[in-house]
Amino acid sequence: MKRVALAALAAVMTGLAAAPAVAAAAADAASIVRGGRLYDNWSRESKERLPNHPNPVFKTKQVRVAAADTWRCSECHGWDYKGRHGVADIRGRRNADPAAIVAVLKDANHDYAELLHESDRQDLANFVAYGQVDMQALVEAAKRAKPSAATTGKFFATACAACHGLDGGSLREIPPLGDGARQRPHEVLHVILNGHPGGRMPALRTLGEEAAARMLAYLQTLPNANLVASIVNGGRLYDDWQIHSGGPGQALPHPAYPPKAYYANSPAMTWRCKECHGWDYKGSQGEYASGIHATGIKGIRAMAGIDPDQIATVLRNGTHLYGAVLKYRDLLDLANFVSQGQTDMDTTIDPRTRLSRGDAGRGAAHYRAICAGCHGLEGHFTAKRTLSREARANPWESLHKMLNGHPDEAMPALRELDRKVIADILAHIQGLPDKH
């Protein structure tokens, strides 16, 4: 009896001792998850401001990196934790003493003593010590996984789709999930395990690494983003991103806009891409060469064909400053337009006469079928202006809008039509009467 009583007492004592241990483990998991978000983007997670200059330790000149990104742990140490840009692998810090990692975060190379609170440094150290996983093994496991709608698909539809949409493309702050999971599997796995910095996304870390691998496998089955739709949206953003994105117009002129060309009564105008680079994308060397508001800024024709990610980095740099005002998908759409959406307007418009090279007679039928439903047979543009007047005064703008549509309007984009058809429609519009 005594042995039974002692055994029962021991069991009770063991249970009482286990309760704080479970609570501690839960607290550690919360700290590790938050540390993973800080590793991703500590400024967004902690709501702390970034320094105004690039990280002085970030030495590489071979890769274009936005100044803000040089302060992110993930940019230097990688999503697989093996290091990037010649910076050291941190996998050797797994199971290290978090206090020692905190000391490293405060050293001269990292200089996070002033940038992060002590609790942030502790969470980040806990992630480095206990939160790193074997990313390559998980990616390989995801490749072998066969996700079914009965398991992971149902979990995604109920736990994730409310924000991401069933196709994974609803959030404009991030890439579509299908594209991201296929192109950046290590990054997506990190986010699956830890959630988004500064967001409320559930982290799946405590469900296990196998569950994370299955989720990655499911995300890789989601559809691609539509490239042509992205280019068209980028063309509308190039026209006027302030109207198209639904945000307020900028109250101050763009810092890089030449004061001599400034519209004194319209600071928002100076933030439009077309205002500096032109409707023909040649800058002041093209349509604005003799204009009263010529900026002297070069065009973007040389950017055609460049990797959109590099263009997005340029859009976010200290000259353009669009990282502060546009969402990720808007930046990518604009970059896709610059890379793959520009057209050589001289093939459609004679730069000397400003007239379309198309056939107005052939364009009449197309105009009446495609355009007249909104613009009328005589080409109404606004209450005081007509399509013909606009098309003769600035045919480059008209062609840009024909290809991409108007910002924040339902005007169809004709980009996928034969360019001869578009040239013919433009020629017909230029011949319409200049009256209501």
Side-chain angles (χ1 to χ4, degrees):
M1 292 293 292
K2 287 183 177 179
R3 288 183 180 177
V4 173
L6 288 172
L9 179 61
V12 171
M13 295 300 292
T14 301
L16 291 174
V22 171
D28 289 344
S31 176
I32 291 168
V33 163
R34 186 165 187 274
R37 298 185 188 203
L38 290 163
Y39 180 89
D40 180 338
N41 191 325
W42 61 262
S43 174
R44 187 173 297 167
E45 174 67 16
S46 65
K47 307 297 190 296
E48 295 292 333
R49 293 183 63 125
L50 287 166
N52 294 324
H53 54 84
N55 189 329
V57 179
F58 196 90
K59 303 294 185 183
T60 183
K61 295 183 179 178
Q62 283 70 39
V63 192
R64 288 183 175 179
V65 177
D69 286 343
T70 65
W71 290 94
R72 295 174 65 179
C73 310
S74 56
E75 187 63 40
C76 288
H77 299 296
W79 296 108
D80 58 359
Y81 322 126
K82 295 181 180 179
R84 296 185 68 195
H85 312 310
V87 180
D89 185 329
I90 61 169
R91 291 176 302 166
R93 294 282 181 174
R94 284 182 291 187
N95 297 315
D97 180 2
I101 297 173
V102 168
V104 172
L105 292 173
K106 296 166 69 173
D107 69 16
N109 278 335
H110 292 82
D111 202 22
Y112 288 132
E114 299 297 328
L115 295 176
L116 292 176
H117 293 291
E118 183 60 35
S119 61
D120 295 332
R121 290 192 294 270
Q122 186 62 55
D123 290 342
L124 186 51
N126 283 339
F127 168 76
V128 173
Y130 307 124
Q132 296 184 64
V133 298
D134 187 340
M135 281 289 180
Q136 192 55 43
L138 288 182
V139 170
E140 291 301 318
K143 290 179 181 177
R144 295 191 298 270
K146 295 181 179 179
S148 71
T151 54
T152 310
K154 284 187 177 180
F155 180 82
F156 177 85
T158 52
C160 312
C163 290
H164 290 287
L166 288 172
D167 65 353
S170 294
L171 291 181
R172 295 201 61 78
E173 292 83 356
I174 60 173
L177 293 183
D179 286 340
R182 286 183 290 272
Q183 297 167 9
R184 301 181 176 92
H186 300 96
E187 177 181 353
V188 171
L189 266 172
H190 180 94
V191 175
I192 289 171
L193 289 165
N194 304 292
H196 289 296
R200 298 180 179 180
M201 173 183 168
L204 304 190
R205 175 174 292 276
T206 56
L207 300 183
E209 295 178 14
E210 185 180 342
R214 287 199 303 270
M215 180 58 74
L216 176 65
Y218 179 77
L219 296 184
Q220 289 176 335
T221 69
L222 295 178
N224 294 315
N226 187 298
L227 179 59
V228 176
S230 174
I231 291 171
V232 163
N233 192 62
R236 298 184 185 205
L237 292 163
Y238 180 89
D239 181 337
D240 196 329
W241 61 265
Q242 294 163 102
I243 291 176
H244 192 56
S245 64
Q250 297 298 302
L252 297 174
H254 194 291
Y257 195 82
K260 65 179 181 181
Y262 173 48
Y263 289 81
N265 62 345
S266 183
M269 184 73 73
T270 66
W271 286 84
R272 293 173 67 179
C273 308
K274 70 87 187 173
E275 190 58 31
C276 288
H277 302 297
W279 291 112
D280 60 356
Y281 324 126
K282 296 180 182 179
S284 289
Q285 303 305 311
E287 59 179 287
Y288 290 156
S290 60
I292 189 171
H293 293 296
T295 62
I297 296 174
K298 66 181 181 180
I300 56 172
R301 294 291 292 138
M303 301 291 282
I306 290 180
D307 181 351
D309 284 340
Q310 293 186 27
I311 296 173
T313 298
V314 172
L315 292 171
R316 296 169 56 208
N317 69 17
T319 299
H320 290 84
L321 303 173
Y322 288 129
V325 292
L326 289 176
K327 295 178 180 178
Y328 174 92
R329 295 273 290 282
D330 290 332
L331 285 169
L332 183 58
D333 290 349
L334 186 52
N336 280 334
F337 169 75
V338 173
S339 175
Q340 302 181 55
Q342 297 183 63
T343 184
D344 181 359
M345 292 200 170
D346 288 351
T347 63
T348 302
I349 299 166
D350 183 333
R352 182 180 59 84
T353 65
R354 301 190 177 197
L355 296 177
S356 171
R357 300 182 188 276
D359 185 298
R362 290 197 306 262
H366 294 305
Y367 174 85
R368 291 169 182 167
I370 299 171
C371 313
C374 288
H375 291 293
L377 293 176
E378 294 188 347
H380 302 303
F381 186 70
T382 67
K384 297 181 179 180
R385 296 152 65 194
T386 62
L387 288 182
S388 61
R389 179 181 299 178
E390 300 300 317
R392 288 195 293 270
N394 193 338
W396 305 281
E397 177 180 1
S398 295
L399 181 55
H400 178 92
K401 291 179 183 293
M402 290 173 68
L403 292 171
N404 303 291
H406 289 298
D408 196 31
E409 290 186 13
M411 174 180 170
L414 307 184
R415 175 172 292 277
E416 290 305 294
L417 293 183
D418 188 297
R419 292 302 165 90
K420 291 182 180 179
V421 172
I422 294 175
D424 292 344
I425 295 174
L426 180 58
H428 175 73
I429 291 173
Q430 287 182 321
L432 289 172
D434 187 12
K435 64 180 182 179
H436 285 284

